[in-house]
Amino acid sequence: MTDPTPIPFGSWPTPVTADLVVESAVTVTAVAVDGEDVYWSEMRPAEGGRTQVVRLRPGAEPEDVLPAGSDARTAVHEYGGGAWWVRDGAVWWADWTDQRLRRLDPDGSVVALTESAPEGGSVRWADGDVHPDGRVAVVRETHPVDGRGAVDVRNELVVLHPDGTQEVVVTGPDFVSDPRWSRDGEALAWLEWGHPNMPWDASRVRVRSGGETHAVAGDDREEGLCQPRWAPDGSLWFCSDRDDWWSLYRWTPESGAKPAFTEPGEIGVPQWLLGLRRFDFLADGRVVLSLQHRGRDTVHVLDPAGGGARALELDLTAADFLVAQGTGLVCLASSPTDEPAVVTGDVDERTPSVRRLSRARDLGIEGYLSVPEHVEFPGTDGRPTYGHFYPPTHPTAVPPEGELPPLVLTMHGGPTARARTALSPSLLFWTSRGFAVFDLDYSGSTGYGRAYRNRLHGQWGVADVDDCVAAVRWLAEQGRIDPDRVVVRGGSASGLTVLLALISSDVFAGGADYFGVTDVEALARDTHKFESRYLDRLVAPYPEGRATYLERSPLHHLDGISSPVVVLQGSEDKVVPPAQSEAVVSALREKGLPVAFRLYEGEQHGFRQAANVRDSLQAELSFYAQVLGFELPPDEDVPTLEVENLHADR
């Protein structure tokens, strides 16, 4: 047996191609149960990014539920979520094509529950809950004809009656969500908040019962609240970060809100999407919950009657959309060696045997799986900062002696999201080629407490950028990367971080900006209602703090960029309009700086179509190959991306 021939990092041959990343790929977006049936929704890039609801009945195979061509997706808050729900064999869904709400009855008939919006306007529906008598409490977002933007959008809770009438039950707050009927139908709970707060900054839980409205939480203190849910005993449970961690609280009118589970870690998550669920009630009243701590989720079972809590020994690192089914658990679970899947297990087993319900892809890449290491390093001002380090991994390829791997520094958007540790072919796309990847949970990320999230207040574009630079320098000091071959990539909020990192430091050889914010002032002046006051906390109140907005806008500091940039943008993005990316590309062209640009027709904020996901990955790979100077594997057909001015004298 001969020793393998060394191959430079970045040039390793790999089966993890852009085609494999998108082939038969689906993203599960929600999970529900209805009796013995399990439902979930799949976003399917191969079908133009549409979302279908899937049902699994005992002893049967998964089957599509909604009529052909349906797309269960809502535009409420622009980010959506909570686009469908089930009860007694019926499925309600908001369809992307016209945002109307429909119901699919058990006999297969479809009933349109809402009318078409007036031409030039929009009425959107989401996050519904069905009363025992058939009424539906649901979020309604109305964009009037000839409205003046965010100021004219109304968010209300509406009850849809079986006779077709619509009763407005909550109006006035800037935002409402999570309408939830009590088990007996006598009470309705919901979440509300108002500008300039986001729901994770300061929100309120309310309950209406017997004609009276009760203030449950959020009135006497600033706290982020989420996921109100009724227990079988009539108490209301919810997550609050009043004591730093997003912990679990129990409320009754007699006792008020009391802590129910307060171990270190986060049960709650920022409500960018509606319909999130990370705890539920088993048939006997026990609570099953997912707790995020130190970069991974663990599932716990809590006995409110005094039996304490115990962690289940599950071979997973992420668990979302937890739904109880009798004394069993159904959830969306994943690990570094398993793609996200709908699974089920018996919580009374110490080490539950987990059974996969959704279809699995046979990727055939076992030897290419890179397992992440959760890392703590000194970030901004030397404070503890976190991320996941993925080493380059290959079953046979080895690098030349003494060579260190190039680094792809990647970041989530949000900016309050978090790095995930699920098996991700799009991440293995890099590590299997010989790149190291660092997935950064910069200041402001979720999973480390409210104080960590608040580190970004007034510091967006500063603390996150400092964390990027600190991460690269720390990894270089540890001897884990080649500091001369580091690229940075990010999208949306972290696209701004990418550009500012290239402007303010010299540690990056290039960057990939996916639909990133480039003009912070323009974003403050013209964006959708949900985020229209978000920057008051992240940057400064506007227009009083206009000078700070100009300082934080990459568009005004492009002279500082000396490294190549590739910009990738959707043509129909309403969150970060294409004009922002086009302005950066135009400015870099005028200055003779290296730049490449891809505009994807029909894409919004995040790419959903398989062809565009494939092309953006290949474009980014070609860009890095040219910038870092490595050869692509000879048997891989990757089109060469045109990088303008790459070799021009500057």
Side-chain angles (χ1 to χ4, degrees):
M1 182 175 180
T2 60
D3 294 332
T5 302
I7 304 174
F9 285 120
S11 300
W12 292 356
T14 175
V16 190
T17 62
D19 286 330
L20 182 138
V21 170
V22 300
E23 183 180 358
S24 303
V26 299
T27 300
V28 177
T29 57
V31 179
V33 300
D34 183 32
E36 294 186 328
D37 297 342
V38 178
Y39 292 76
W40 62 87
S41 47
E42 296 180 351
M43 191 280 286
R44 299 172 175 174
E47 298 179 19
R50 80 180 185 100
T51 298
Q52 171 65 277
V53 177
V54 178
R55 176 177 58 214
L56 179 63
R57 287 175 163 157
E61 293 295 316
E63 59 180 343
D64 290 355
V65 174
L66 302 183
S70 300
D71 189 355
R73 184 179 169 209
T74 175
V76 170
H77 297 175
E78 299 300 333
Y79 294 100
W84 62 275
W85 51 95
V86 299
R87 186 179 179 117
D88 297 333
V91 181
W92 289 255
W93 87 96
D95 201 280
W96 181 252
T97 56
D98 56 11
Q99 292 298 300
R100 293 176 68 186
L101 191 63
R102 293 173 172 83
R103 186 184 68 238
L104 175 68
D105 287 333
D107 63 4
S109 59
V110 174
V111 180
L113 302 176
T114 62
E115 301 295 329
S116 298
E119 184 176 354
S122 175
V123 181
R124 308 170 181 184
W125 306 86
D127 206 11
D129 192 42
V130 184
H131 190 277
D133 66 10
R135 290 177 288 161
V136 178
V138 61
V139 174
R140 182 178 71 185
E141 182 176 280
T142 305
H143 297 243
V145 176
D146 300 324
R148 291 177 291 121
V151 296
D152 290 328
V153 176
R154 292 197 316 276
N155 293 75
E156 301 166 304
L157 287 188
V158 174
V159 171
L160 304 179
H161 292 266
D163 63 4
T165 59
Q166 299 180 10
E167 175 192 1
V168 178
V169 295
V170 179
T171 188
D174 290 315
F175 300 96
V176 287
S177 71
D178 296 87
R180 300 292 181 261
W181 297 107
S182 59
R183 302 296 178 99
D184 60 9
E186 296 298 317
L188 178 68
W190 69 90
L191 185 72
E192 64 181 43
W193 66 97
H195 286 318
N197 298 310
M198 300 299 281
W200 50 86
D201 292 322
S203 44
R204 301 177 294 274
V205 173
R206 296 278 191 266
V207 168
R208 182 168 298 169
S209 177
E212 297 183 357
T213 298
H214 303 273
V216 173
D219 287 88
D220 58 351
R221 70 189 82 198
E222 190 173 87
E223 56 185 321
L225 302 164
C226 59
Q227 303 178 52
R229 299 193 61 79
W230 294 95
D233 66 1
S235 61
L236 182 71
W237 293 55
F238 57 90
C239 296
S240 168
D241 64 1
R242 62 180 64 177
D243 293 320
D244 195 37
W245 297 112
W246 247 318
S247 299
L248 204 52
Y249 288 76
R250 177 181 183 271
W251 174 88
T252 66
E254 298 76 23
S255 65
K258 303 294 183 183
F261 184 91
T262 57
E263 293 188 15
E266 308 264 41
I267 302 170
V269 291
Q271 188 171 281
W272 285 98
L273 299 174
L274 298 170
L276 300 175
R277 181 186 297 185
R278 284 175 55 86
F279 74 93
D280 202 4
F281 301 95
L282 300 169
D284 56 11
R286 290 179 297 163
V287 182
V288 61
L289 60 92
S290 180
L291 182 73
Q292 185 194 9
H293 188 49
R294 304 295 296 181
R296 64 168 295 161
D297 288 341
T298 53
V299 176
H300 297 248
V301 178
L302 169 67
D303 184 355
R310 62 182 177 88
L312 301 182
E313 296 176 1
L314 296 171
D315 186 20
L316 57 85
T317 57
D320 289 294
F321 294 106
L322 272 73
V323 187
Q325 191 175 42
T327 59
L329 166 69
V330 180
C331 69
L332 178 62
S334 59
S335 76
T337 57
D338 295 287
E339 284 192 286
V342 181
V343 304
T344 184
D346 187 339
V347 302
D348 287 328
E349 298 178 9
R350 181 66 184 180
T351 305
S353 55
V354 173
R355 181 168 63 94
R356 182 170 185 145
L357 304 181
S358 56
R359 298 181 180 94
R361 289 197 291 174
D362 183 12
L363 298 173
I365 56 173
E366 288 74 14
Y368 300 86
L369 303 181
S370 181
V371 177
E373 172 192 350
H374 187 256
V375 169
E376 177 183 316
F377 68 96
T380 303
D381 298 328
R383 293 180 291 182
T385 308
Y386 308 94
H388 299 273
F389 181 79
Y390 292 81
T393 304
H394 198 284
T396 59
V398 296
E401 185 177 355
E403 183 179 353
L404 291 171
L407 174 70
V408 175
L409 178 70
T410 188
M411 296 167 287
H412 58 74
T416 60
R418 56 173 171 147
R420 308 304 296 261
T421 55
L423 187 156
S424 170
S426 60
L427 188 148
L428 301 180
F429 181 82
W430 305 111
T431 57
S432 64
R433 285 175 162 75
F435 286 87
V437 173
F438 192 72
D439 200 351
L440 177 64
D441 271 335
Y442 53 81
S443 298
S445 302
T446 292
Y448 307 96
R450 182 182 178 102
Y452 193 83
R453 290 202 317 275
N454 289 353
R455 274 166 48 169
L456 208 58
H457 284 180
Q459 295 296 305
W460 185 39
V462 178
D464 48 329
V465 173
D466 290 346
D467 289 343
C468 288
V469 175
V472 172
R473 290 177 174 160
W474 184 83
L475 289 168
E477 290 170 0
Q478 304 299 309
R480 307 185 78 169
I481 62 164
D482 180 349
D484 294 326
R485 294 189 295 167
V486 178
V487 291
V488 59
R489 69 192 302 267
S492 190
S494 62
L496 174 137
T497 307
V498 166
L499 294 172
L500 288 178
L502 294 173
I503 288 168
S504 63
S505 74
D506 59 0
V507 303
F508 299 104
D513 166 27
Y514 280 78
F515 41 86
V517 176
T518 62
D519 187 340
V520 183
E521 183 183 25
L523 189 66
R525 289 197 312 257
D526 182 23
T527 192
H528 56 102
K529 180 183 177 184
F530 181 63
E531 291 186 89
S532 61
R533 298 291 301 279
Y534 186 25
L535 301 187
D536 282 26
R537 285 186 187 250
L538 290 184
V539 181
Y542 186 84
E544 300 91 324
R546 183 171 184 265
T548 304
Y549 281 77
L550 298 179
E551 178 186 345
R552 304 282 176 82
S553 296
L555 186 62
H556 303 305
H557 306 284
L558 295 175
D559 281 336
I561 295 183
S562 58
S563 300
V565 183
V566 58
V567 180
L568 306 112
Q569 173 73 43
S571 68
E572 297 183 11
D573 194 333
K574 299 292 191 271
V575 179
V576 178
Q580 293 212 16
S581 291
E582 290 165 350
V584 167
V585 173
S586 176
L588 293 176
R589 283 172 175 161
E590 290 179 7
K591 298 178 187 300
L593 297 174
V595 63
F597 183 47
R598 280 282 205 268
L599 181 68
Y600 296 103
E601 292 297 327
E603 290 287 10
Q604 295 187 312
H605 197 62
F607 303 157
R608 300 171 65 91
Q609 299 176 35
N612 297 334
V613 174
R614 178 190 301 108
D615 184 81
S616 63
L617 270 176
Q618 291 181 330
E620 193 178 352
L621 175 61
S622 175
F623 175 77
Y624 293 157
Q626 296 177 65
V627 167
L628 300 181
F630 62 84
E631 298 291 330
L632 297 178
D635 59 345
E636 187 166 8
D637 183 19
V638 175
T640 300
L641 176 72
E642 180 186 357
V643 183
E644 304 173 41
N645 306 315
L646 180 60
H647 301 295
D649 292 329
R650 300 188 301 278

